[in-house]
Amino acid sequence: MKNTLGKLYRNTVLGYYLIHPFYVVYEFFLKITPDKLFIKLKFRKHMGYRLNLNYPQTFNEKINWLKLNDRSKLHTQAADKFKVREYIARKIGDEYLIPLVLQTKTTKDIVPENLPDFPVIIKTNHNSSGGIIVKNKNDINWKRSRFHLKKNLKENYFYSSREWQYKNIEPRIVVEKLLTDKNGAIPYDYKMHCFNGKLVFTQVDLDRQTNHTRNLYDVNWEFIPCQWIYNNGKQIEKPVTYAQMQNLAEIIAQDFIYVRVDFYVMEKTIFFGELTFHSETGLGKFEPEFYDKHFGSLLNLPI
């Protein structure tokens, strides 16, 4: 029932107007709930055990400790899908940025006349809601798309996740060139998890639009035999640009205790995707559970 209502709210105009008044009440209670209490309750519900913030041991416990204790203006800039571009250009160079088509604070600018004829992705800069993929402008319901974007601009992802970096981002719409291979497919993105400035493992997600699977690889590109939320998929060869991506990720990671650095590879050309500071918002179960403790032991917190 909850999932059905969520889909109605997110995907239909009627559902939004019917459910939004109840969401406003729900959001009010979210806002007045203290961060620590909210995080502890949500952790217990999803993970099945109490969150130990005084002596965190597992990876997920430490991610939630970081939510409460690791906050800076740099985190806000780096989580902003528009302003992070300036940070990345400064750290590793603007040649790694995906071409920007448009950025705006109003949905009125999202019309076919303002967009190129090549494929693009339209997204908001302040949450993790994905984006609108446009391969052919004539195939898009623009009125519905603008409504979806307008709704996203009004939301503050912080209150439902308590990931502080999203709280003070100034909402806007970002349009970037859509990266596709010669067959028109979106390339893999390599999510490089860095602990204390060093790469520990890389996450590769497969078939996200159909049958989402996920593989983890260690720093030597050896498959890690565990499932993290999703089942394992087909094995992926180490990209030819792996060493370069590792170097770039670790340059960025020097500024953070923990960060996930995402890259795309297009015919040996590397493009930066995004930065994430609380993967799976610290609620991602590992199977077997050993890996939650194992990765947790590798992440050092300033406690």
Side-chain angles (χ1 to χ4, degrees):
M1 181 66 175
K2 182 179 179 181
N3 289 336
T4 301
L5 290 175
K7 289 180 180 178
L8 285 172
Y9 178 74
R10 290 189 299 271
N11 302 324
T12 68
V13 176
L14 178 61
Y16 174 79
Y17 284 115
L18 287 175
I19 299 171
H20 187 65
F22 298 97
Y23 181 79
V24 170
V25 176
Y26 170 68
E27 189 176 49
F28 169 77
F29 285 104
L30 283 182
K31 289 180 178 180
I32 64 174
T33 303
D35 292 352
K36 184 179 289 188
L37 175 61
F38 178 92
I39 287 172
K40 283 186 172 182
L41 291 174
K42 199 164 186 177
F43 189 90
R44 180 66 180 268
K45 177 182 177 180
H46 286 268
M47 301 301 294
Y49 64 95
R50 290 182 179 179
L51 172 61
N52 186 342
L53 290 171
N54 294 322
Y55 192 52
Q57 297 294 297
T58 67
F59 175 76
N60 282 295
E61 283 184 319
K62 290 187 176 183
I63 290 297
N64 279 280
W65 185 93
L66 289 170
K67 282 186 189 178
L68 291 166
N69 297 284
D70 186 33
R71 300 175 172 185
S72 71
K73 290 183 178 180
L74 180 56
H75 284 84
T76 298
Q77 179 187 5
D80 184 324
K81 292 180 177 62
F82 173 66
K83 292 187 177 180
V84 70
R85 297 174 63 88
E86 178 185 344
Y87 169 75
I88 291 299
R90 184 172 72 251
K91 291 293 291 187
I92 60 175
D94 59 9
E95 64 268 29
Y96 298 104
L97 296 174
I98 297 173
L100 180 68
V101 174
L102 174 70
Q103 65 87 15
T104 179
K105 296 178 184 177
T106 174
T107 58
K108 293 179 181 179
D109 291 333
I110 306 302
V111 292
E113 307 87 78
N114 288 342
L115 301 178
D117 292 328
F118 55 78
V120 298
I121 182 168
I122 307 171
K123 56 191 176 183
T124 48
N125 67 322
H126 67 303
N127 59 18
S128 58
S129 62
I132 301 169
I133 293 175
V134 181
K135 293 187 177 181
N136 186 328
K137 292 189 289 187
N138 297 322
D139 294 338
I140 301 297
N141 183 328
W142 290 106
K143 184 176 180 180
R144 181 176 178 178
S145 297
R146 284 191 292 271
F147 176 81
H148 174 75
L149 292 166
K150 185 176 182 179
K151 181 180 63 174
N152 280 352
L153 288 173
K154 293 179 179 179
E155 295 178 353
N156 191 319
Y157 183 62
F158 163 75
Y159 293 108
S160 61
S161 69
R162 287 312 198 271
E163 296 182 53
W164 179 86
Q165 65 272 22
Y166 294 109
K167 185 175 183 180
N168 299 312
I169 295 176
E170 184 179 19
R172 74 181 72 217
I173 300 167
V174 177
V175 183
E176 294 177 337
K177 180 180 180 180
L178 181 68
L179 299 180
T180 56
D181 62 22
K182 60 184 178 181
N183 298 316
I186 297 173
Y188 298 141
D189 59 326
Y190 300 92
K191 302 176 183 296
M192 312 190 86
H193 296 253
C194 297
F195 298 14
N196 310 111
K198 294 295 182 180
L199 175 66
V200 173
F201 69 91
T202 300
Q203 165 192 339
V204 184
D205 289 274
L206 310 168
D207 303 319
R208 282 181 292 186
Q209 305 302 320
T210 53
N211 180 33
H212 193 163
T213 57
R214 173 178 293 172
N215 293 343
L216 304 184
Y217 297 90
D218 68 15
V219 70
N220 297 313
W221 204 259
E222 294 292 333
F223 174 70
I224 301 174
C226 76
Q227 296 176 4
W228 191 20
I229 302 180
Y230 300 99
N231 293 330
N232 297 139
K234 63 182 179 181
Q235 292 300 306
I236 304 300
E237 293 184 2
K238 181 170 72 172
V240 295
T241 57
Y242 176 70
Q244 185 181 0
M245 287 193 294
Q246 178 181 352
N247 180 59
L248 294 172
E250 291 183 346
I251 290 173
I252 294 168
Q254 298 306 309
D255 292 335
F256 309 105
I257 298 170
Y258 165 84
V259 65
R260 194 194 80 201
V261 186
D262 295 3
F263 292 113
Y264 296 95
V265 178
M266 294 288 297
E267 300 179 353
K268 299 183 181 181
T269 301
I270 299 171
F271 289 99
F272 166 77
E274 65 180 27
L275 300 181
T276 297
F277 298 106
H278 309 109
S279 290
E280 303 300 342
T281 195
L283 303 172
K285 289 185 177 181
F286 289 89
E287 180 62 40
E289 292 182 8
F290 161 79
Y291 284 97
D292 201 358
K293 295 179 180 178
H294 170 67
F295 290 131
S297 70
L298 300 177
L299 176 58
N300 297 319
L301 301 180
I303 298 178

